[in-house]
Amino acid sequence: MTTDPRAASARPLPGRRAHLPALDGLRGAAVIGVLLFHTGRLDGGFLGVDLFFVLSGYLITGLLLREAAATGRVDLPAFWGRRLRRLLPALALMLACVTLAVRAVGPPGLVRSTLADGPWVQANLANWHLLASSAGYWDRFGADRVFGHLWSIAVEEQFYLLWPLLVALVALAVGRGNGRGDAAGVPVAALAACLGAASVLAMALLADPADPTRAYTGTDTRAFSLLLGALAAAPPVRDRLARLVERNPRAAAAATAASAAAIAALWLLADGSDSFWLYRGGLLAHALACALLIGLLAHAPGGPLSRALACAPLRWTGGISYSLYLWHWPVIVLLSPEATGLSGWWWTAAVCAVSVALAALSTRLVEDPVRYRARWARGRGGAVAVAAVTVALAALWIAVPAPEPPAVDITALD
C-alpha cells in the first residue's frame, strides 16, 4: 500500500535490487481485497491490509540492509525524507479534499468526527486515537467516520519511524561487513524474530473475545506482520529461499502454490467480527504465508504465479494502491447506497470506479511528480514544503467550523 520497490528518489540507492513486477500485482490484489471487504463482497478481504504490512516490512528492510551493506550505515534523514515524499502529498490532498467535502454535504455528526479525527491522522496516531474514542473496530466502519481506515497507515508510519532506527543502530554496531549485508543481516533477522514473537504474544494476551479492537489496531499487537516481512528480507532467510528456488524449483513452486492457496483460503473463511481464531494464530498463519509467498516470488520471477501477478491490470492497480486505499473509504461513506440510490453490485461498481478515478488522478498529478521529478521536494526545499503542509492542515482543522452538538431537551427527563 505504501511502499514502492521502484525508485524512492531520483538518485539510485546503494545496492538497489531489480524491480519485481509480481510484487506490484500482489499489492494490487491486496487493495482489491480491501475494496471488496468494505463494499460487503468479501468477508475476509480485510486481510489485504496484513498483506500490505508484510510486503512493506519486506521491501523497507531490503532497502535498509542493502544500504547498510554498501555504505556501512543507514542514512536515516534521507530514508525519512523519501517516506515523506512518498506518503505525505497524497495523504494531505485527500485529507483536505475530504474534509471540505464532508463539511459541504455531510451530516453534522460526520463533520464533527472528521474534524476530531483529522489531526490524529496527520500526526500518524490515528489507530491510538480511534482506540481511545471508538466503541469497537468492527462497528466503526459506518457512516460516522471517513478516516477510520487510516489506522493501518498510522501503524505503518510508526513502523517506518522506529524500525529503520533499530536497523541503523545494528549497522553501526557491526560495521560494513562483507558488502552483501550479512554482517547486519543476522542480528537484524534475530531482532525481527524476537520483536515479532513479542508482538504475537501481546496479541494473544490483549485479544478480548467481546471486542478484539485493541488487539487488531494496536501497533504493538500488529507489528509482527511487518516484522515477518522484515525477517523474510534478511539474508539468513532470503538466502535460504534463494537456494531452494535454485536447487529445487519444483519444491519452491509447490511452496509458492501452497502459500497462495493458504492466503486465499483465509480470505474466504475469515470473518473479522466472528473469527476470534484470527487472534489465536490465524493472523500469524496468514502473515507467515504472505512472507513465504513474497520471498519466493522475489526469487522466482519467471514462475507461473509470478507471471499471473505481473499481468498489466494487477500491476496498474498496484501502482495506484496507496491512493486507492486513501480514497476508497471516504468515497464509500459519502456515496452510500442512501445517497446514490444504488444497491448491490451496481453500487459496488460505482464506488469502485470513483475511487479508482480519484486514485489514478492523485497518483499521476501528485504522487509521481513529487516522488520522481520535483527537485524542490528534496533537501531544504522539501523540509520547507513539509512544514508548510503541516501548518496548512493544522489551520484547516481550526478554520473549518464544527456544527453545534445536538441539543438535549432535559424537560423530557422529568
Side-chain angles (χ1 to χ4, degrees):
M1 183 167 51
T2 60
T3 305
D4 193 331
R6 296 175 294 183
S9 69
R11 177 177 55 85
L13 292 177
R16 168 161 283 153
R17 66 173 300 157
H19 178 59
L20 299 169
L23 298 189
D24 283 341
L26 199 61
R27 187 184 296 107
V31 77
I32 289 171
V34 173
L35 275 169
L36 292 176
F37 166 68
H38 281 155
T39 53
R41 303 300 169 187
L42 181 62
D43 287 344
F46 65 92
L47 291 171
V49 170
D50 293 71
L51 178 53
F52 279 127
F53 282 168
V54 179
L55 187 56
S56 293
Y58 179 86
L59 294 170
I60 287 300
T61 304
L63 285 171
L64 294 170
L65 287 176
R66 287 191 292 277
E67 182 178 0
T71 67
R73 59 188 290 271
V74 173
D75 187 343
L76 289 173
F79 172 84
W80 288 324
R82 292 192 299 271
R83 290 295 87 207
L84 283 170
R85 288 195 299 274
R86 172 69 179 93
L87 304 175
L88 181 59
L91 177 63
L93 174 68
M94 186 277 297
L95 288 175
C97 291
V98 169
T99 298
L100 295 176
V102 167
R103 187 63 183 87
V105 302
L110 183 61
V111 177
R112 283 191 290 270
S113 69
T114 300
L115 295 176
D117 294 347
W120 295 97
V121 173
Q122 181 183 355
N124 296 316
L125 294 170
N127 61 323
W128 296 110
H129 164 67
L130 293 172
L131 275 172
S133 62
S134 180
Y137 174 79
W138 304 107
D139 299 328
R140 183 181 305 144
F141 282 102
D144 61 340
R145 263 194 166 102
V146 289
F147 298 147
H149 64 308
L150 297 178
W151 71 270
S152 63
I153 301 295
V155 170
E156 289 201 35
E157 291 280 22
Q158 292 159 34
F159 176 79
Y160 293 154
L161 179 65
L162 297 175
W163 179 245
L165 179 60
L166 294 176
V167 175
L169 291 174
V170 170
L172 286 176
V174 302
R176 183 167 181 171
N178 59 11
R180 295 194 304 112
D182 294 351
V186 173
V188 164
L191 184 61
C194 291
L195 292 176
S199 177
V200 171
L201 179 61
M203 170 171 279
L205 293 175
L206 293 174
D208 182 353
D211 179 14
T213 301
R214 170 64 180 86
Y216 189 75
T217 60
T219 308
D220 50 351
T221 52
R222 299 312 305 278
F224 68 85
S225 294
L226 291 144
L227 290 165
L228 283 173
L231 183 61
V237 176
R238 182 198 66 203
D239 293 347
R240 283 171 173 79
L241 291 176
R243 285 195 294 270
L244 174 64
V245 172
E246 181 181 353
R247 297 175 182 177
N248 198 336
R250 288 187 177 181
T256 302
S259 58
I263 293 168
L266 287 167
W267 285 29
L268 292 172
L269 295 174
D271 181 334
S273 58
D274 298 323
S275 300
F276 190 69
W277 52 267
L278 287 169
Y279 307 95
R280 291 292 187 264
L283 287 171
L284 174 61
H286 180 265
L288 285 168
C290 291
L292 179 60
L293 177 62
I294 292 166
L296 289 170
L297 289 174
H299 295 292
L305 185 57
S306 292
R307 293 196 300 271
L309 288 169
C311 70
L314 278 179
R315 287 181 61 191
W316 185 82
T317 305
I320 65 167
S321 60
Y322 174 55
S323 277
L324 184 52
Y325 187 84
L326 292 180
W327 282 99
H328 83 281
W329 182 248
V331 169
I332 287 173
V333 172
L334 293 173
L335 300 184
S336 65
E338 294 76 18
T340 61
L342 300 173
S343 61
W345 280 101
W346 287 108
W347 175 73
T348 298
V351 296
C352 287
V354 173
S355 300
V356 168
L358 290 171
L361 288 172
S362 173
T363 301
R364 183 175 180 83
L365 300 180
V366 178
E367 287 182 58
D368 287 350
V370 173
R371 186 167 30 151
Y372 297 130
R373 298 187 291 275
R375 294 187 177 182
W376 55 263
R378 295 171 174 81
R380 184 175 298 178
V384 172
V386 169
V389 169
T390 301
V391 171
L393 285 176
L396 178 68
W397 314 128
I398 297 171
V400 174
E404 293 293 331
V408 177
D409 185 3
I410 61 174
T411 61
L413 301 177
D414 294 337

